[in-house]
Amino acid sequence: MKAVCLSFFLCLSCLGFTQGNIDGFFKPKGDLEIAISGTYVYSRIYFAGVSSIFYKRDQSIIGLYGVYGLSDKWNLIASLPVINFTPQDLALYAKYKLYESKFNACEVTLAPAFGVSVPAWNYNTESGQAIGQQAVTVQPKLVMQFKHARNWFVQAQTGYNYSINSVPSAFVASAKAGFIYKKWYFDVWYDYQLGIGGKDYGTVGLESFRELGVSYERVGGVVYASIGDRWGGFLSLSTVLSGRNSSDSNTFNGGVVLKFKTTKEK
């Protein structure tokens, strides 16, 4: 099972993108992948606390993502969404292959990761076109993954987005299952966020959307095809099932992945 076909699926953690910045696959030393994506998001319902209201929102988003193999066990990851030519929150991560066990041609991986997310621009959080809250967060995560010899895998992840400014923190968790066939990759996933505290939309005393506690349940899937050794293309869909201070976002995403080797092969 080649990681060369897999690493991009980390693209863009913000609500409205494909699932998660971190997974259990690692790039070998010197490998660099850059993904450029376009996303269309539409929603018609806003989960305002415990009630739902009609709220129409359409968004077009450009996503930039990169992963680099600092070594076979250390990977560096960066992602940045851009909406209406305005950068949103920049996320930077490092992940480490702490444990790997192979048995009967199967493999179990345990990988902790640590990241930070900061606003890349002073974007307007009070607009329906914002996809973040200008939060400054530190994000410890832990990924557990099982890969079978017949090219299917399952993965579980948990973490905590600790906000160091006035935005509420959040507990996050996800699960993913996928399959690889020749140059094709398929996966389905479930993503969960639980906002800790915070205010609800429409309540007395709310002064800024940055005070909202945001929760959601989201499901989606990805199809990817590797085209030659240097690039590939992907399509993904996702939808929000429920939430708190979030929209029923339906997301359509597609893009290309460019692959580079920064070191000479031995």
Side-chain angles (χ1 to χ4, degrees), residues 189-210:
W189 49 262
Y190 169 81
D191 198 14
Y192 175 73
Q193 175 171 306
L194 175 64
I196 308 300
K199 297 179 180 179
D200 290 331
Y201 179 82
T203 57
V204 176
L206 180 68
E207 297 181 355
S208 169
F209 288 173
R210 300 182 72 244

mmCIF file of all heavy atoms in Angstrom, residues 189-210:
data_model
loop_
_atom_site.group_PDB
_atom_site.id
_atom_site.type_symbol
_atom_site.label_atom_id
_atom_site.label_comp_id
_atom_site.label_asym_id
_atom_site.label_seq_id
_atom_site.Cartn_x
_atom_site.Cartn_y
_atom_site.Cartn_z
ATOM 1 N N TRP A 189 -15.946 8.793 5.770
ATOM 2 C CA TRP A 189 -15.511 9.245 7.081
ATOM 3 C C TRP A 189 -16.647 9.908 7.858
ATOM 4 O O TRP A 189 -17.655 10.337 7.289
ATOM 5 C CB TRP A 189 -14.322 10.191 6.965
ATOM 6 C CG TRP A 189 -14.470 11.317 5.975
ATOM 7 C CD1 TRP A 189 -13.989 11.354 4.694
ATOM 8 C CD2 TRP A 189 -15.135 12.569 6.177
ATOM 9 N NE1 TRP A 189 -14.312 12.548 4.093
ATOM 10 C CE2 TRP A 189 -15.016 13.319 4.986
ATOM 11 C CE3 TRP A 189 -15.818 13.133 7.254
ATOM 12 C CZ2 TRP A 189 -15.562 14.598 4.834
ATOM 13 C CZ3 TRP A 189 -16.364 14.409 7.100
ATOM 14 C CH2 TRP A 189 -16.226 15.119 5.904
ATOM 15 N N TYR A 190 -16.427 9.959 9.161
ATOM 16 C CA TYR A 190 -17.327 10.632 10.095
ATOM 17 C C TYR A 190 -16.486 11.584 10.933
ATOM 18 O O TYR A 190 -15.418 11.218 11.436
ATOM 19 C CB TYR A 190 -18.023 9.611 10.991
ATOM 20 C CG TYR A 190 -18.774 10.224 12.165
ATOM 21 C CD1 TYR A 190 -20.041 10.762 12.002
ATOM 22 C CD2 TYR A 190 -18.198 10.247 13.437
ATOM 23 C CE1 TYR A 190 -20.724 11.321 13.078
ATOM 24 C CE2 TYR A 190 -18.874 10.803 14.516
ATOM 25 C CZ TYR A 190 -20.136 11.338 14.318
ATOM 26 O OH TYR A 190 -20.799 11.901 15.394
ATOM 27 N N ASP A 191 -16.974 12.806 11.100
ATOM 28 C CA ASP A 191 -16.225 13.848 11.791
ATOM 29 C C ASP A 191 -17.122 14.474 12.850
ATOM 30 O O ASP A 191 -18.294 14.777 12.582
ATOM 31 C CB ASP A 191 -15.807 14.904 10.764
ATOM 32 C CG ASP A 191 -14.671 15.783 11.253
ATOM 33 O OD1 ASP A 191 -14.029 15.414 12.252
ATOM 34 O OD2 ASP A 191 -14.422 16.826 10.629
ATOM 35 N N TYR A 192 -16.559 14.665 14.053
ATOM 36 C CA TYR A 192 -17.348 15.186 15.171
ATOM 37 C C TYR A 192 -16.573 16.288 15.880
ATOM 38 O O TYR A 192 -15.360 16.154 16.119
ATOM 39 C CB TYR A 192 -17.644 14.054 16.165
ATOM 40 C CG TYR A 192 -18.359 14.493 17.425
ATOM 41 C CD1 TYR A 192 -19.702 14.847 17.408
ATOM 42 C CD2 TYR A 192 -17.677 14.543 18.644
ATOM 43 C CE1 TYR A 192 -20.350 15.242 18.572
ATOM 44 C CE2 TYR A 192 -18.323 14.937 19.810
ATOM 45 C CZ TYR A 192 -19.665 15.284 19.765
ATOM 46 O OH TYR A 192 -20.300 15.681 20.904
ATOM 47 N N GLN A 193 -17.271 17.373 16.179
ATOM 48 C CA GLN A 193 -16.686 18.428 17.012
ATOM 49 C C GLN A 193 -17.684 18.826 18.083
ATOM 50 O O GLN A 193 -18.873 19.017 17.794
ATOM 51 C CB GLN A 193 -16.312 19.654 16.179
ATOM 52 C CG GLN A 193 -15.803 20.820 17.029
ATOM 53 C CD GLN A 193 -15.220 21.961 16.242
ATOM 54 O OE1 GLN A 193 -14.321 21.750 15.420
ATOM 55 N NE2 GLN A 193 -15.713 23.174 16.459
ATOM 56 N N LEU A 194 -17.196 18.978 19.316
ATOM 57 C CA LEU A 194 -18.027 19.408 20.435
ATOM 58 C C LEU A 194 -17.441 20.699 21.003
ATOM 59 O O LEU A 194 -16.359 20.695 21.603
ATOM 60 C CB LEU A 194 -18.068 18.336 21.526
ATOM 61 C CG LEU A 194 -18.812 18.711 22.815
ATOM 62 C CD1 LEU A 194 -20.302 18.933 22.527
ATOM 63 C CD2 LEU A 194 -18.621 17.639 23.885
ATOM 64 N N GLY A 195 -18.137 21.809 20.775
ATOM 65 C CA GLY A 195 -17.703 23.080 21.323
ATOM 66 C C GLY A 195 -17.878 23.111 22.837
ATOM 67 O O GLY A 195 -18.919 22.712 23.352
ATOM 68 N N ILE A 196 -16.851 23.548 23.548
ATOM 69 C CA ILE A 196 -16.874 23.590 25.010
ATOM 70 C C ILE A 196 -17.348 24.972 25.454
ATOM 71 O O ILE A 196 -16.646 25.969 25.295
ATOM 72 C CB ILE A 196 -15.493 23.288 25.608
ATOM 73 C CG1 ILE A 196 -14.934 21.986 25.022
ATOM 74 C CG2 ILE A 196 -15.569 23.226 27.117
ATOM 75 C CD1 ILE A 196 -15.783 20.773 25.283
ATOM 76 N N GLY A 197 -18.559 25.011 26.001
ATOM 77 C CA GLY A 197 -19.092 26.284 26.464
ATOM 78 C C GLY A 197 -19.427 27.205 25.306
ATOM 79 O O GLY A 197 -19.857 26.772 24.239
ATOM 80 N N GLY A 198 -19.229 28.504 25.527
ATOM 81 C CA GLY A 198 -19.566 29.486 24.510
ATOM 82 C C GLY A 198 -21.040 29.838 24.515
ATOM 83 O O GLY A 198 -21.861 29.209 25.195
ATOM 84 N N LYS A 199 -21.384 30.833 23.734
ATOM 85 C CA LYS A 199 -22.768 31.302 23.642
ATOM 86 C C LYS A 199 -23.437 30.732 22.400
ATOM 87 O O LYS A 199 -22.780 30.191 21.512
ATOM 88 C CB LYS A 199 -22.794 32.826 23.614
ATOM 89 C CG LYS A 199 -22.237 33.485 24.875
ATOM 90 C CD LYS A 199 -22.274 35.004 24.784
ATOM 91 C CE LYS A 199 -21.717 35.643 26.044
ATOM 92 N NZ LYS A 199 -21.719 37.128 25.966
ATOM 93 N N ASP A 200 -24.770 30.857 22.354
ATOM 94 C CA ASP A 200 -25.534 30.423 21.196
ATOM 95 C C ASP A 200 -26.017 31.626 20.400
ATOM 96 O O ASP A 200 -26.294 32.694 20.946
ATOM 97 C CB ASP A 200 -26.741 29.585 21.632
ATOM 98 C CG ASP A 200 -26.323 28.232 22.176
ATOM 99 O OD1 ASP A 200 -25.273 27.725 21.745
ATOM 100 O OD2 ASP A 200 -27.053 27.688 23.029
ATOM 101 N N TYR A 201 -26.145 31.408 19.089
ATOM 102 C CA TYR A 201 -26.649 32.452 18.215
ATOM 103 C C TYR A 201 -28.077 32.836 18.628
ATOM 104 O O TYR A 201 -28.909 31.977 18.884
ATOM 105 C CB TYR A 201 -26.643 31.978 16.764
ATOM 106 C CG TYR A 201 -27.169 33.009 15.787
ATOM 107 C CD1 TYR A 201 -26.347 34.022 15.323
ATOM 108 C CD2 TYR A 201 -28.488 32.957 15.343
ATOM 109 C CE1 TYR A 201 -26.815 34.982 14.431
ATOM 110 C CE2 TYR A 201 -28.961 33.897 14.458
ATOM 111 C CZ TYR A 201 -28.136 34.905 14.013
ATOM 112 O OH TYR A 201 -28.621 35.843 13.138
ATOM 113 N N GLY A 202 -28.336 34.130 18.717
ATOM 114 C CA GLY A 202 -29.666 34.611 19.053
ATOM 115 C C GLY A 202 -29.907 34.819 20.532
ATOM 116 O O GLY A 202 -30.981 35.297 20.922
ATOM 117 N N THR A 203 -28.924 34.483 21.380
ATOM 118 C CA THR A 203 -29.115 34.661 22.813
ATOM 119 C C THR A 203 -28.754 36.083 23.229
ATOM 120 O O THR A 203 -27.982 36.777 22.567
ATOM 121 C CB THR A 203 -28.255 33.672 23.607
ATOM 122 O OG1 THR A 203 -26.875 33.839 23.232
ATOM 123 C CG2 THR A 203 -28.674 32.242 23.325
ATOM 124 N N VAL A 204 -29.311 36.489 24.342
ATOM 125 C CA VAL A 204 -29.062 37.835 24.866
ATOM 126 C C VAL A 204 -27.590 37.948 25.287
ATOM 127 O O VAL A 204 -27.044 37.047 25.920
ATOM 128 C CB VAL A 204 -29.986 38.132 26.062
ATOM 129 C CG1 VAL A 204 -29.658 39.502 26.667
ATOM 130 C CG2 VAL A 204 -31.447 38.075 25.627
ATOM 131 N N GLY A 205 -26.974 39.048 24.919
ATOM 132 C CA GLY A 205 -25.592 39.300 25.331
ATOM 133 C C GLY A 205 -24.541 38.889 24.330
ATOM 134 O O GLY A 205 -23.350 39.136 24.554
ATOM 135 N N LEU A 206 -24.942 38.259 23.218
ATOM 136 C CA LEU A 206 -23.970 37.875 22.190
ATOM 137 C C LEU A 206 -23.481 39.127 21.468
ATOM 138 O O LEU A 206 -24.256 39.870 20.886
ATOM 139 C CB LEU A 206 -24.605 36.912 21.184
ATOM 140 C CG LEU A 206 -23.696 36.433 20.058
ATOM 141 C CD1 LEU A 206 -22.590 35.533 20.598
ATOM 142 C CD2 LEU A 206 -24.505 35.697 18.981
ATOM 143 N N GLU A 207 -22.178 39.345 21.497
ATOM 144 C CA GLU A 207 -21.603 40.527 20.873
ATOM 145 C C GLU A 207 -20.821 40.214 19.602
ATOM 146 O O GLU A 207 -20.619 41.087 18.769
ATOM 147 C CB GLU A 207 -20.682 41.240 21.877
ATOM 148 C CG GLU A 207 -21.408 41.758 23.112
ATOM 149 C CD GLU A 207 -20.479 42.476 24.070
ATOM 150 O OE1 GLU A 207 -19.246 42.488 23.808
ATOM 151 O OE2 GLU A 207 -20.962 43.019 25.081
ATOM 152 N N SER A 208 -20.373 38.980 19.460
ATOM 153 C CA SER A 208 -19.563 38.616 18.295
ATOM 154 C C SER A 208 -19.717 37.132 18.010
ATOM 155 O O SER A 208 -19.894 36.323 18.932
ATOM 156 C CB SER A 208 -18.085 38.943 18.555
ATOM 157 O OG SER A 208 -17.254 38.373 17.557
ATOM 158 N N PHE A 209 -19.634 36.753 16.730
ATOM 159 C CA PHE A 209 -19.671 35.345 16.366
ATOM 160 C C PHE A 209 -18.474 34.585 16.946
ATOM 161 O O PHE A 209 -18.506 33.359 17.035
ATOM 162 C CB PHE A 209 -19.684 35.182 14.848
ATOM 163 C CG PHE A 209 -20.994 35.564 14.212
ATOM 164 C CD1 PHE A 209 -21.129 35.607 12.828
ATOM 165 C CD2 PHE A 209 -22.101 35.870 14.984
ATOM 166 C CE1 PHE A 209 -22.329 35.957 12.237
ATOM 167 C CE2 PHE A 209 -23.309 36.221 14.406
ATOM 168 C CZ PHE A 209 -23.426 36.266 13.021
ATOM 169 N N ARG A 210 -17.435 35.288 17.348
ATOM 170 C CA ARG A 210 -16.276 34.650 17.938
ATOM 171 C C ARG A 210 -16.598 34.041 19.308
ATOM 172 O O ARG A 210 -15.841 33.205 19.820
ATOM 173 C CB ARG A 210 -15.118 35.638 18.061
ATOM 174 C CG ARG A 210 -14.675 36.212 16.724
ATOM 175 C CD ARG A 210 -13.502 37.151 16.851
ATOM 176 N NE ARG A 210 -12.284 36.416 17.148
ATOM 177 C CZ ARG A 210 -11.589 36.541 18.268
ATOM 178 N NH1 ARG A 210 -12.012 37.361 19.228
ATOM 179 N NH2 ARG A 210 -10.484 35.847 18.462
#
